[in-house]
């Protein structure tokens, strides 16, 4: 009798609900077979009565174990089926489904696409390139002096630090794509380069170690500063509205000469002065300039024949100004309450 009980115990332990086809029916069949009035358990208890007294203690114990195991299995399976009714329910195809909540694009992607669309309308195509760059494309070809602070560990995440032009780093700006494109394409070149950039900055409301930029580059014969100005005005009006005005302030970047920074008239107060523009009526938007002849030459383009302009802007800043977002960290926290505010933008 002991062997028989052991065999049943093994069967109960090995039975898997996953193998049942019609789960509710098979659970019930199992229950009747073991625990029903004429089931295995009752039959075993009948046999038990006929055992010699000295065996009763031992067999009684394992017999009770068997009964408990069978009951436990039935309870466990019933619970399983109740928790996942779809396993067993016959499907009513006419029932309405739960509404699926659809996702939406991140406000930064929307902003980047918008910038790309504005430039596409005046003939700029999109170029993408690597995020892990070498010193040449990040700095040297862009006319950075050897001791420029951007080459310092303070600002740049290095992947491999050797001495000089073999250094490998996470790109600190998308200007590196200018070099990659000029090295491989002949003018006329008219591209924008959107993408992720990395800087060794403490994270705050105004700075982050990962952010996004869009670079634009136009190289051809007779490209002038007037072309740059007109392109900037066009961009500012398309991005921030027809009433937007721009102003250029002289600036310095190693890769452009002359260089400038562009401000737009504050789109919150219309130029009167508010706390967003800190009372000045102007908001700083991007850096730009005429491509330095040294950069053209480093990329194999004859600087006597060709000229060009370049500009670079921060995507987070564009979106902040457009949608009055006050804290950079919000972009990367994936808080749905923040993200859903931009669902309508597509
Ligand atoms: N690379 C600059 C930065 O990361 C932005 C920039 C300024 C890009 C001037 C340009 C430019 O193309 O002409 O701050």
């Amino acid at each position: 009798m002991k062997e028989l009980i052991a065999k049943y115990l093994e069967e109960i332990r090995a039975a898997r609900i996953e193998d049942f086809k019609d789960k509710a029916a098979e659970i019930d069949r199992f229950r009747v077979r073991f625990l029903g009035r004429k089931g295995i358990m009752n039959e075993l208890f009948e046999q038990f009565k006929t055992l010699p007294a000295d065996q009763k203690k031992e067999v009684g114990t394992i017999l009770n174990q068997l009964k408990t195991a069978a009951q436990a299995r039935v309870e466990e399976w019933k619970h399983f089926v109740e928790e996942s009714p779809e396993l067993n329910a016959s499907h009513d195809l006419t029932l309405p489904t739960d509404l699926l909540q659809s996702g939406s694009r991140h406000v930064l992607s929307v902003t980047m696409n918008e910038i790309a669309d504005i430039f596409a309308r005046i003939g700029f195509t999109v170029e993408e390139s690597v995020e892990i760059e070498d010193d040449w494309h990040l700095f040297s070809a862009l006319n950075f002096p050897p001791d420029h602070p951007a080459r310092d560990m303070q600002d740049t995440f290095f992947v491999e630090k050797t001495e000089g032009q073999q250094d490998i780093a996470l790109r600190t700006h998308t200007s590196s794509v200018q070099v990659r494109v000029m090295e491989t394409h002949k003018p006329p070149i008219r591209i924008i380069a959107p993408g992720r950039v990395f800087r060794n900055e403490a994270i705050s409301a105004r700075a982050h170690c990962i952010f996004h930029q869009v670079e634009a580059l136009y190289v051809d014969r007779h490209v002038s500063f007037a072309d740059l100005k007109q392109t900037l005005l066009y961009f500012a009006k398309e991005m921030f509205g027809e009433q937007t005005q721009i102003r250029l302030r002289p600036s310095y970047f190693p890769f452009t000469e002359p260089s400038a920074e562009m401000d737009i008239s504050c789109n919150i107060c219309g130029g009167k002065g508010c706390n967003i523009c800190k009372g000045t009526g102007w908001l700083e938007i991007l850096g730009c300039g005429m491509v330095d002849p040294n950069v053209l030459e480093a990329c194999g383009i004859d600087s006597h024949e060709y000229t060009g302009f370049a500009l670079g802007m921060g995507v987070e800043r564009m979106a902040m100004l457009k949608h009055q977002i006050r804290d950079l960290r919000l972009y990367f926290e994936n808080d749905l309450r923040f993200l859903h505010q931009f669902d309508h933008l597509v």
Side-chain angles (χ1 to χ4, degrees), residues 172-173 175 178 199 213 215-216 253 255-256 287-289 310-312:
T172 51
H173 54 181
S175 302
Q178 281 188 35
R199 280 187 207 172
Q213 290 186 332
E215 186 85 11
F253 300 102
F255 35 90
T256 42
C288 59
L311 59 98

Side-chain angles (χ1 to χ4, degrees), residues 32 39 42 53-54 86 90 102 106 129 135 154 163 176 178 188 206 222 236 248 264 280 293 298 329 336 340-342:
V32 172
N42 279 348
D54 61 341
E86 73 279 7
S90 52
S102 59
H106 195 280
S129 189
D135 176 280
Q154 304 266 300
E163 280 311 311
S176 53
Q178 281 188 35
R206 299 173 58 89
H222 313 301
L248 294 173
I264 57 165
T280 64
R329 290 166 292 196
L336 289 177
H340 278 316
Q341 295 179 76
F342 307 103

Side-chain angles (χ1 to χ4, degrees), residues 137-153:
H137 294 92
L138 270 179
F139 303 125
S140 294
L142 288 167
N143 203 34
F144 278 79
D147 55 352
H148 193 281
R151 293 177 170 234
D152 199 337
M153 300 284 242

